[in-house]
Amino acid sequence: MTPQRLAQHNKDLAAAAYQGLVVVCPYLPDVDLKSPLAIKDYGDFVKEVLLPRVRRELPVFASRDATGIDGVSLGGAMALRVGLGNPDCFGMVGSLQAAIDDPQIPQFVEALKLARASNPKLKLRLLTSDRDYFRRVVTATSQAMRSAALDHDFLEVPGPHDYPFNRGPGAIEMLTWYDRGLARS
């Protein structure tokens, strides 16, 4: 994280502290993201098993607008698919350095169109970094969405595609975006 970006985060936090989040990190097996069945199965697990359990056992607001989904790399690609494929469940969908390929760009554009038709308030963010393996295609996905008049947040920050980045600057960016955007009821 650059000193300037860290200073901006600290300034923002001094003005408005974190309100609090519950973060749940389910295991994602090494799935074939070209398999609609694998994506559907994981999405069904999130909707039918994970979210009901979280809402039963943790102090969370059980509304779509208070629920987000995000992931890193392969998890980011899956979060986009599950989140955009289930706009009735999520108010915010994001990805951090999503492992996506060029042929998937039109699919994500169409998925966002369909998601917004069902949930016009759905917020989307794509985050990449200047040394992310997937930077070019994440940026191209954002550009294709903008060309289709699909509003979303796009952020490119300094950093590599590695665990220290994801646990540090990436995590700060992710947590701040959700803390500021999720509903509190």
Side-chain angles (χ1 to χ4, degrees), residues 6-180:
L6 183 58
Q8 184 62 52
H9 275 294
N10 286 333
K11 180 180 174 186
D12 293 346
L13 287 171
Y18 283 133
Q19 298 298 303
L21 296 172
V22 172
V23 178
V24 179
C25 302
Y27 173 74
L28 175 63
D30 189 13
V31 297
D32 178 4
L33 290 178
K34 293 182 178 128
S35 166
L37 183 59
I39 295 165
K40 182 184 178 320
D41 286 349
Y42 195 78
D44 288 348
F45 161 74
V46 170
K47 287 187 324 186
E48 297 168 11
V49 178
L50 183 65
L51 286 178
R53 182 173 178 187
V54 166
R55 290 173 174 164
R56 200 173 46 248
E57 297 180 16
L58 297 173
V60 299
F61 298 111
S63 72
R64 170 186 74 189
D65 294 336
T67 306
I69 186 169
D70 209 307
V72 178
S73 197
L74 177 67
M78 182 62 88
L80 290 173
R81 287 172 175 82
V82 171
L84 295 176
N86 296 283
D88 56 318
C89 295
F90 302 102
M92 296 178 77
V93 176
S95 67
L96 180 65
Q97 302 177 321
I100 56 179
D101 296 322
D102 288 303
Q104 299 163 345
I105 293 172
Q107 297 167 12
F108 286 117
V109 171
E110 187 60 26
L112 182 54
K113 282 181 189 175
L114 292 171
R116 288 272 174 73
S118 173
N119 178 1
K121 296 188 321 180
L122 179 77
K123 297 172 189 169
L124 173 71
R125 183 182 65 179
L126 305 173
L127 186 145
T128 188
S129 62
D130 61 356
R131 288 176 281 143
D132 176 16
Y133 315 127
F134 301 102
R135 175 179 171 248
R136 185 193 54 74
V137 72
V138 171
T139 301
T141 301
S142 175
Q143 291 167 342
M145 289 174 172
R146 292 215 193 284
S147 293
L150 295 167
D151 185 46
H152 64 284
D153 293 332
F154 173 80
L155 182 61
E156 181 181 317
V157 296
H161 187 112
D162 64 11
Y163 287 114
F165 173 83
N166 294 326
R167 292 178 183 142
I172 291 169
E173 298 291 351
M174 184 188 294
L175 292 171
T176 301
W177 190 66
Y178 286 97
D179 187 77
R180 301 297 192 239

